[in-house]
Amino acid sequence: MNFTGSDISVIGLFGFVIVLTLVEMYFSYQHDRKLYTKRDTWTNIYLMTAAVVINLATKTGTFFLLAYCYQFRLFQIPNVWVYWLVLILAQDFLYWFLHTVGHYVRFFWAMHVTHHSSEHFNLTTGFRSTVFEPMYRVFFYLPLAFMGFTAVDILFAYLVTQIYGNLVHTQYNIKFPKWYEYIFVTPSHHRVHHASNVRYLDKNMGMVLILWDRWFGTFQEELPEDVVKYGLTTQPKDTGPVNIIFHEFIALTADVKKAPTFMDKVKYIFNPPGWSHDGSTKIAKIMQQELREEEKRKYEDLQQEKVKGLNDRGELSSTG
């Protein structure tokens, strides 16, 4: 069997991720940080395996669809350095868009939710895959083929950026230069992404570059006063191998059935998670607006108390 340079690069990068995972696991147990549990880690491996099986099953179709669209490319980039730079940037932006759709459209959230279902956060969480994503991901990457990028190069670029995305799944605080944190996704950024805190919901969608989030309004920094709580706002009670994949589809189906009108049924499918026809549940943006208003009221009340305290002290000193 002959291995190409791309094959060797991917194998090497995946090997590096596995070694780092084992190192993090070792230090977690050595320092009793409880970053890993056996059940959670095995669930991550199971979900990764399920995604790999679907990836393999759809790989041929993905390749031929990209190759077919490549025939209708609008232009070609002759310079190899510019070619790869534009490919990585464009692929990363399209991933940001794919990821954002996965958070803002409930049908896609029903598939993506498995990646967020763990209440732990470690390097194996990066392997807790969106199992059915390989079935629709290619349609988000079709523009790359029309831009003159070959199917092989698109898939290779995805693997490379995916590996970087795996590396930021860690709770260890790593200090980066400010310029790096402004441009690239860091573990701190991605901890926010996996949080169930209201402030952090649907934030920091980027895989490699955090610039997309900064530019399009989905950025949120990690705040020391709002400690990250991992997992979902409502954790599934049954974390068995079948329910962990399908629990949100089951909930979505129940909501669609109870919707009083056809348009309400459609809205349950395509509106953001949390939308309800009767207002019994709320989407993240509404909850975040309410949080900001509550914090503003608390701040104003605190300021008024300070002013009142200063006035009271002034009155006491003038009568003293």
Side-chain angles (χ1 to χ4, degrees), residues 146-209:
F146 291 117
M147 292 170 65
F149 299 108
T150 67
V152 171
D153 291 343
I154 292 169
L155 295 175
F156 179 72
Y158 173 76
L159 284 171
V160 171
T161 55
Q162 184 73 43
I163 289 169
Y164 181 90
N166 276 47
L167 293 175
V168 296
H169 289 81
T170 181
Q171 290 188 53
Y172 282 94
N173 288 314
I174 304 170
K175 295 296 182 182
F176 293 94
K178 286 187 176 181
W179 66 265
Y180 189 95
E181 292 187 346
Y182 188 84
I183 298 172
F184 296 100
V185 174
T186 67
S188 176
H189 296 148
H190 209 62
R191 287 194 291 268
V192 165
H193 180 69
H194 275 262
S196 60
N197 314 45
V198 169
R199 187 191 315 277
Y200 297 150
L201 295 176
D202 301 335
K203 301 296 183 182
N204 300 356
M205 309 288 185
M207 176 83 84
V208 175
L209 298 179

Side-chain angles (χ1 to χ4, degrees), residues 41-61:
T41 301
W42 280 114
T43 299
N44 295 341
I45 294 171
Y46 154 70
L47 290 170
M48 178 190 69
T49 303
V52 167
V53 169
I54 293 179
N55 254 309
L56 292 174
T58 59
K59 185 177 181 180
T60 300

Side-chain angles (χ1 to χ4, degrees), residues 132-292:
F132 296 113
E133 186 178 291
M135 299 175 68
Y136 60 87
R137 182 173 57 220
V138 62
F139 297 102
F140 286 83
Y141 289 153
L142 287 182
L144 297 174
F146 291 117
M147 292 170 65
F149 299 108
T150 67
V152 171
D153 291 343
I154 292 169
L155 295 175
F156 179 72
Y158 173 76
L159 284 171
V160 171
T161 55
Q162 184 73 43
I163 289 169
Y164 181 90
N166 276 47
L167 293 175
V168 296
H169 289 81
T170 181
Q171 290 188 53
Y172 282 94
N173 288 314
I174 304 170
K175 295 296 182 182
F176 293 94
K178 286 187 176 181
W179 66 265
Y180 189 95
E181 292 187 346
Y182 188 84
I183 298 172
F184 296 100
V185 174
T186 67
S188 176
H189 296 148
H190 209 62
R191 287 194 291 268
V192 165
H193 180 69
H194 275 262
S196 60
N197 314 45
V198 169
R199 187 191 315 277
Y200 297 150
L201 295 176
D202 301 335
K203 301 296 183 182
N204 300 356
M205 309 288 185
M207 176 83 84
V208 175
L209 298 179
I210 199 67
L211 288 174
W212 316 122
D213 294 288
R214 293 186 185 277
W215 291 344
F216 298 111
T218 53
F219 175 74
Q220 172 62 54
E221 64 179 327
E222 185 178 12
L223 301 176
E225 65 269 23
D226 200 353
V227 178
V228 169
K229 181 180 182 298
Y230 299 105
L232 304 171
T233 53
T234 303
Q235 287 292 129
K237 294 179 181 179
D238 178 6
T239 56
V242 176
N243 195 60
I244 199 66
I245 294 176
F246 293 103
H247 68 93
E248 183 60 19
F249 276 114
I250 295 169
L252 174 57
T253 301
D255 286 338
V256 169
K257 284 182 178 179
K258 75 179 182 183
T261 68
F262 174 76
M263 282 309 301
D264 284 334
K265 294 180 187 296
V266 172
K267 288 177 181 177
Y268 270 114
I269 295 171
F270 294 105
N271 275 9
W275 181 88
S276 58
H277 71 279
D278 57 3
S280 57
T281 55
K282 301 172 183 176
I283 66 174
K285 283 188 176 180
I286 298 297
M287 292 191 291
Q288 288 165 348
Q289 178 63 32
E290 291 175 348
L291 175 63
R292 286 192 294 269

